[in-house]
Amino acid sequence: MPLYFVRHGESLANEQNYFAGAQNSPLTPLGRRQAQQAARYVRQRALRFDEVHVSTLERAQATAAIILEGAQGNPQVRSSAALVERDFGIFAGKNKTLIKKSIGHRLYDACFHDADGAPPDGEHWMDMYARCKHYYDTVLAPLDRQGKQVLVVAHKYIVEVFALIASGLPPAEYIDFRLPNSRPLSWDELKQMTARSSSRMNYLGEQTEIRLLQWMLLAAISGFALSCLGVSLPHVVTTTAVVALLAANAFFLSVRIEPGALRLTQGPENIALSIISVARALCAMFLLTQFQNEWIHVIGLLLIVPPALSVPTFSLARGGDYFFAARYTLVLSILLPVLLLVLYVDHREVLGNAHALERFFVVLLLALALPSLLAQGWRRARPIAAGKLATNWGWVGSLTMVPMALLVSLRADGAALADALLHGGWQAWAALLLPFTLLMACRVGSALYLHAHQAMTGKRISAAIASDIHLLQTSPNIFLWLSLLLPGTFAHAPTLVAGTLLGFFAFALLDEAWVVRRFRAQIAPAMRKLANRSTSANGVTTTGTVQQDEAVLDSR
């Protein structure tokens, strides 16, 4: 059958992980390169289209225009509102992962993937299916019978509905096919795509997005428990594994980053973050150089270590600005260790383990620089495959942090930890609680400063950027921090290690819960309206389920 289908190139909404739906969202530089790769595909196979049918939305129109630049012949272009993406209602313009965390997997699946579902104030799945089926029956199928070769440039949900039609599957069989951007697919390839899709992998990916921090906390607790039972791995094994996991995480992070987005820009958020970062560094240097107390040195080192390399992942999951977070994570990961090295030249006593800085730069090279270069090279050479990996399989990179948390906590001395808690007195318990307390203080201080900064300058900082600034202040590179302290002068190291790992994950979980709770409060009225409509439409048979979902939403 001479029908070909293309989902538009990567849009800004795809890049920033939010729903666009029936709203316009321009192509990103990667999206344009993907469309150019699709154009090369068309030329290499000498495909001659008689007609090109395209959605009226900007991203589809731009993709079609790029593909047609080198196309043979002079195909007729027909724009149709019937090919417009599904209307996502109140979720349009909202972060996908934040929606999943807020309403849970079951409600999310019901809203977006269930043939009987619809997002609040959005288009019902069957209405979308009906307009696509009507367009196929009345427009595309007759052209096919005439022997016309047709290219359809549309959107994810629209092309996936055509895949259902091609396979002869009923709407109830629909799952998220994870359709890649800009890859031309023939009618037969659409059928193959439905056969290859796995609902289990989709479920694992969505659960990873929703429960990543919980899994990391459980992994850390499990590592400590195993350590207390005497389980251990050779140091070289755990170190190699952690570096490999960091490298995998960095690869998945970098494959979705456009280098131009990492350029420093002007704006109130950059000034605010710069002031906070400089103030923290000056405070840290004062504490490290003017005091000889080991507790104060611990605090000083925490203030001056760079952010964790996982900050962009957390930003993406809570609706932040991914590129802002990635930009400053990279900048601070280079500048702050250099500052520590300069400080060490004149004050060697401030670091318990100066060699940790050398190892940190080696880790930056092996686990950040090299994977990032590889990812960027692949992004340039194969933009469609790179986009598919970043959008559909990015959760694999996030998942690497779970075994990482297990391995790092497994390296703790479980017997020493138990002994310190039993016999170490209040100092041991203080060391256990110190990291969480410091992170809480950083979070409160960051919020107070941003409030004052906006009041004094009159320039508003968006909620997404503010969330990232808080994240950068409360997500220190705890692995570097512990390496700088150990082996060192701090007497209560076992409880400090435990408190750092558990405190970091627990605080991140609480902070995320606060972000999710605020978002849930915004959408709760619409979700309750949806539940009420479902009850009215389906009667008593679904009342229990709907009321249960509503109760869960209210209680979270």
Side-chain angles (χ1 to χ4, degrees):
M1 178 175 281
L3 290 177
Y4 281 83
F5 295 82
V6 174
R7 179 189 178 188
H8 60 80
E10 182 191 69
S11 67
L12 185 63
N14 299 145
E15 182 184 66
Q16 292 283 8
N17 194 39
Y18 66 83
F19 282 112
Q23 299 176 352
N24 272 318
S25 180
L27 293 183
T28 63
L30 177 66
R32 289 190 287 273
R33 291 199 299 273
Q34 289 174 335
Q36 291 164 0
Q37 185 180 354
R40 290 194 295 272
Y41 175 95
V42 170
R43 288 196 301 271
Q44 289 167 1
R45 284 156 182 77
L47 297 176
R48 298 177 64 93
F49 296 114
D50 299 295
E51 293 187 12
V52 175
H53 294 236
V54 58
S55 158
T56 56
L57 292 178
E58 174 188 0
R59 53 194 183 274
Q61 292 279 330
T63 301
I66 293 172
I67 292 175
L68 290 176
E69 283 177 0
Q72 300 181 27
N74 187 26
Q76 179 185 0
V77 179
R78 297 174 59 178
S79 298
S80 174
L83 299 174
V84 166
E85 180 61 294
R86 184 183 186 184
D87 184 350
F88 295 123
I90 67 165
F91 293 138
K94 301 290 193 303
N95 181 271
K96 296 178 182 179
T97 306
L98 201 52
I99 295 170
K100 294 173 187 177
K101 289 177 182 290
S102 298
I103 67 177
H105 171 75
R106 190 155 67 95
L107 276 176
Y108 180 86
D109 212 41
C111 286
F112 292 98
H113 303 144
D114 194 320
D116 292 325
D121 300 330
E123 184 178 20
H124 195 283
W125 201 96
M126 287 305 299
D127 291 336
M128 174 185 64
Y129 180 86
R131 64 180 166 95
C132 292
K133 184 68 164 62
H134 181 264
Y135 196 82
Y136 172 75
D137 290 338
T138 60
V139 179
L140 298 180
L143 290 172
D144 176 56
R145 288 193 292 269
Q146 296 171 24
K148 302 278 189 181
Q149 189 142 293
V150 179
L151 173 66
V152 178
V153 183
H155 307 269
K156 170 182 162 59
Y157 279 81
I158 303 304
V159 177
E160 289 183 344
V161 167
F162 283 123
L164 277 183
I165 297 170
S167 303
L169 295 173
E173 294 293 317
Y174 173 75
I175 63 171
D176 184 355
F177 297 134
R178 296 188 177 270
L179 179 71
N181 292 94
S182 253
R183 181 183 171 189
L185 296 167
S186 67
W187 191 251
D188 289 335
E189 287 171 328
L190 283 184
K191 297 179 184 178
Q192 295 169 11
M193 183 182 69
T194 61
R196 289 195 302 264
S197 297
S198 169
S199 59
R200 291 181 180 177
M201 293 303 293
N202 291 349
Y203 179 78
L204 178 59
E206 290 183 356
Q207 288 298 318
T208 300
E209 290 184 71
I210 294 170
R211 306 191 184 280
L212 178 63
L213 282 173
Q214 291 99 313
W215 290 354
M216 291 175 71
L217 179 59
L218 287 174
I221 294 172
S222 300
F224 280 115
L226 291 172
S227 178
C228 290
L229 294 173
V231 177
S232 64
L233 292 173
H235 182 77
V236 66
V237 172
T238 55
T239 300
T240 303
V242 167
V243 171
L245 290 168
L246 280 171
N249 182 257
F251 178 86
F252 278 93
L253 287 174
S254 301
V255 81
R256 70 178 300 132
I257 292 178
E258 191 67 27
L262 295 178
R263 297 193 190 101
L264 296 180
T265 58
Q266 295 182 345
E269 65 277 1
N270 298 296
I271 296 172
L273 181 57
S274 298
I275 291 174
I276 293 175
S277 300
V278 171
R280 279 184 62 140
L282 291 175
C283 180
M285 293 176 70
F286 177 76
L287 295 177
L288 290 170
T289 58
Q290 300 302 314
F291 296 90
Q292 301 303 317
N293 184 282
E294 61 183 11
W295 289 89
I296 293 179
H297 279 193
V298 168
I299 296 172
L301 284 174
L302 180 69
L303 291 176
I304 204 170
V305 293
L309 298 179
S310 55
V311 164
T313 299
F314 295 149
S315 170
L316 194 68
R318 62 174 64 182
D321 187 319
Y322 180 81
F323 299 108
F324 179 86
R327 180 191 311 144
Y328 282 102
T329 298
L330 180 62
V331 169
L332 294 174
S333 292
I334 296 172
L335 292 182
L336 291 178
V338 169
L339 182 60
L340 267 173
L341 278 176
V342 172
L343 183 65
Y344 177 70
V345 171
D346 292 327
H347 300 83
R348 294 178 178 270
E349 73 282 357
V350 302
L351 299 182
N353 183 14
H355 294 297
L357 276 177
E358 300 171 8
R359 291 198 298 270
F360 178 71
F361 282 110
V362 173
V363 170
L364 277 182
L365 175 65
L366 296 178
L368 181 62
L370 292 180
S372 297
L373 289 174
L374 180 63
Q376 287 298 312
W378 196 45
R379 183 180 168 95
R380 286 282 175 182
R382 301 187 61 189
I384 293 177
K388 179 181 179 180
L389 185 72
T391 303
N392 296 338
W393 298 97
W395 59 269
V396 175
S398 302
L399 194 59
T400 60
M401 292 191 287
V402 176
M404 199 185 311
L406 174 68
L407 289 170
V408 172
S409 57
L410 189 60
R411 287 174 58 176
D413 188 343
L417 172 62
D419 183 69
L421 290 176
L422 290 173
H423 306 107
W426 69 268
Q427 294 96 337
W429 286 94
L432 184 70
L433 298 174
L434 176 64
F436 184 87
T437 305
L438 288 176
L439 292 175
M440 182 64 73
C442 289
R443 176 65 173 83
V444 172
S446 175
L448 290 174
Y449 172 75
L450 285 186
H451 180 75
H453 180 87
Q454 293 180 97
M456 289 186 295
T457 62
K459 296 180 179 179
R460 184 178 178 276
I461 297 174
S462 70
I465 295 290
S467 174
D468 285 337
I469 292 176
H470 299 324
L471 193 59
L472 286 162
Q473 304 312 308
T474 57
S475 303
N477 193 315
I478 55 175
F479 306 127
L480 174 62
W481 184 47
L482 290 173
S483 298
L484 291 172
L485 290 169
L486 307 173
T489 58
F490 199 70
H492 304 284
T495 53
L496 183 66
V497 172
T500 300
L501 291 171
L502 299 180
F504 172 76
F505 296 131
F507 181 84
L509 198 57
L510 287 175
D511 196 36
E512 181 186 86
W514 170 250
V515 174
V516 170
R517 190 173 185 84
R518 283 191 304 172
F519 180 79
R520 189 179 292 123
Q522 297 173 12
I523 65 172
M527 294 302 295
R528 279 193 286 269
K529 283 169 55 181
L530 176 67
N532 292 335
R533 284 201 303 271
S534 298
T535 304
S536 301
N538 298 318
V540 295
T541 57
T542 60
T543 300
T545 301
V546 171
Q547 289 178 344
Q548 182 183 6
D549 288 342
E550 186 177 349
V552 169
L553 187 65
D554 287 337
S555 64
R556 284 177 173 170

